[in-house]
Amino acid sequence: TVAMEGTWAPWTYHDENDNLVGYDVEVATKIAEKLGVEPKFVEGEWDGLLAGLDAGRYDIMVNGVDITPERAEKYDFSTPYAYNRTAVITQKDNDSIKALEDLNGKTTANTISSTYAELAEQYGATVTGVDDLNQTFELLLSGRIDATLNAEVTYYDYMKEHPDANAKIAVLTADANEVAIPMRKGDETATLRAAIDTAIEEMRADGTLKELSEKYFGTDISTNE
């Protein structure tokens, strides 16, 4: 049983025929194939998915989950299957931001509680609160903010949908977040975790993860290089 949101393209979402599709859907399906089992997908809101893992309603959650120290205390994670760096996105002709330090005195936009908003504020930016990514890009493209911080893959996905958008990655952090599969801690999941790790490494070695990355993100996020 695989938990995911189903509302977060291109990781896990519904296509025009309402089929559940996405990078994580295909990754989970391929892992299940290698384990010789049939995947059963259950969709829900983010907080409920983690709670469902705790309660034993789901075996794993495949939903672009970053490994953080807090989550690692609570869950066991598979080996990472994707790497996600933070990008500072500006208009193409803006050369004033070449490092995170250059955000000092600049204006940015993000959802207020996000780690990206916190990071921008740490470097001295004034953050405008928005509801979603489209609002963020509207502010950026209309010149009302200097930059926005987001996941590198979010930028690639946006540019795939809006190839003519006047936007570029001005700064890319060296450290990538590791994206992996959380499951309950404990001996009963140790065998499952080992099998999933083996499946992920096989998919990395044979190019499956690279192929799926390029299909959904237009770039290879399966390696930290």
Side-chain angles (χ1 to χ4, degrees), residues 69-134:
E70 299 77 35
R71 289 176 191 155
E73 276 180 21
K74 213 168 171 192
Y75 306 97
D76 279 343
F77 277 90
S78 70
T79 190
Y81 66 93
Y83 296 87
N84 209 351
R85 288 178 294 180
T86 298
V88 179
I89 304 159
T90 64
Q91 287 193 5
K92 285 177 181 168
D93 57 357
N94 181 350
D95 294 323
S96 69
I97 300 174
K98 291 185 165 56
L100 287 171
E101 287 74 14
D102 296 332
L103 289 169
N104 191 16
K106 299 286 197 296
T107 53
T108 66
N110 273 106
T111 48
I112 283 301
S113 62
S114 72
T115 50
Y116 300 116
E118 288 168 13
L119 188 63
E121 284 176 340
Q122 274 171 26
Y123 281 95
T126 302
V127 180
T128 298
V130 291
D131 293 328
D132 57 33
L133 190 68
N134 286 329

Side-chain angles (χ1 to χ4, degrees), residues 151-168:
E152 175 187 13
V153 292
T154 301
Y155 167 82
Y156 288 125
D157 185 51
Y158 184 86
M159 293 307 284
K160 208 167 89 180
E161 299 296 318
H162 308 87
D164 300 324
N166 176 22
K168 69 173 182 185

Side-chain angles (χ1 to χ4, degrees), residues 26-49:
E26 293 210 38
V27 167
T29 302
K30 299 263 187 212
I31 288 173
E33 272 173 26
K34 287 184 175 289
L35 269 56
V37 296
E38 194 69 37
K40 179 186 170 198
F41 294 105
V42 181
E43 297 171 60
E45 290 182 2
W46 175 270
D47 294 341
L49 297 182

Side-chain angles (χ1 to χ4, degrees), residues 129-190:
V130 291
D131 293 328
D132 57 33
L133 190 68
N134 286 329
Q135 276 188 1
T136 306
F137 271 98
E138 279 168 22
L139 291 175
L140 180 69
L141 299 174
S142 63
R144 283 178 285 170
I145 55 170
D146 299 307
T148 182
L149 280 63
N150 217 300
E152 175 187 13
V153 292
T154 301
Y155 167 82
Y156 288 125
D157 185 51
Y158 184 86
M159 293 307 284
K160 208 167 89 180
E161 299 296 318
H162 308 87
D164 300 324
N166 176 22
K168 69 173 182 185
I169 291 180
V171 183
L172 205 50
T173 58
D175 296 332
N177 294 333
E178 296 180 329
V179 177
I181 297 171
M183 54 203 96
R184 281 185 302 290
K185 271 192 185 295
D187 295 339
E188 75 273 12
T189 57

